[in-house]
Amino acid sequence: QSTWGLMEAAFAVPVKLDCPHADGLESHAQSLVTLIAGDATGNNPVVSQTKCSHPDCNETEIWICIHCQVVLCSRYAKEHCLQHYQAETDHCIALSLMDVSIWCFKCDSYIQKSGPLQVLTEHITPRVLPCL
């Protein structure tokens, strides 16, 4: 009976394998890898950020815009990352600092980690969300 409960709660999230918006992200991904690596003292402003950078937002489920490196909360929190995309429609791909998944707002889908996006995700340790 308890096994059924676990199976019922588990699900697979489909990943789009051919996102056309991921093409040409090499320079953005490399800039983000450099930023994530931190400076000579090990200071890493992105990875150490723990909440949304939007004023007066304390949400901790955060994503980083691959294009400009702004850190904002998810579309399931206060939607600041979604609002950023809506204002800057070229900024359609974001990386979760929670589970290192990649989302394309234009495709409305998680996308495959390949090429520069795969290299980028190898430099980030996923954060663990607290159990509720």
Side-chain angles (χ1 to χ4, degrees):
Q1 184 176 1
S2 62
T3 304
W4 174 249
L6 288 174
M7 290 173 32
E8 195 173 28
F11 60 92
V13 177
V15 175
K16 187 173 176 79
L17 302 177
D18 59 347
C19 171
H21 311 106
D23 294 340
L25 286 179
E26 290 83 5
S27 64
H28 296 297
Q30 185 55 52
S31 295
L32 194 50
V33 166
T34 302
L35 186 63
I36 288 167
D39 61 20
T41 65
N43 182 28
N44 186 322
V46 171
V47 175
S48 63
Q49 192 161 344
T50 58
K51 64 178 190 147
C52 178
S53 62
H54 193 275
D56 301 321
C57 184
N58 292 317
E59 294 293 335
T60 58
E61 184 186 349
I62 51 179
W63 291 71
I64 184 165
C65 174
I66 298 291
H67 300 270
C68 69
Q69 293 85 44
V70 65
V71 177
L72 297 164
C73 64
S74 81
R75 63 192 186 282
Y76 296 113
K78 293 186 179 174
E79 301 182 339
H80 291 128
C81 198
L82 173 62
Q83 292 168 13
H84 175 70
Y85 157 66
Q86 290 169 338
E88 301 286 341
T89 57
D90 289 347
H91 295 207
C92 61
I93 298 182
L95 168 74
S96 169
L97 292 177
M98 296 289 125
D99 64 5
V100 195
S101 59
I102 301 173
W103 181 262
C104 176
F105 286 101
K106 287 185 179 182
C107 291
D108 194 31
S109 178
Y110 288 99
I111 61 173
Q112 181 180 28
K113 299 173 192 172
S114 61
L117 295 178
Q118 178 63 38
V119 172
L120 171 61
T121 60
E122 291 169 357
H123 288 81
I124 298 177
T125 303
R127 298 177 185 183
V128 177
L129 290 173
C131 294
L132 301 176

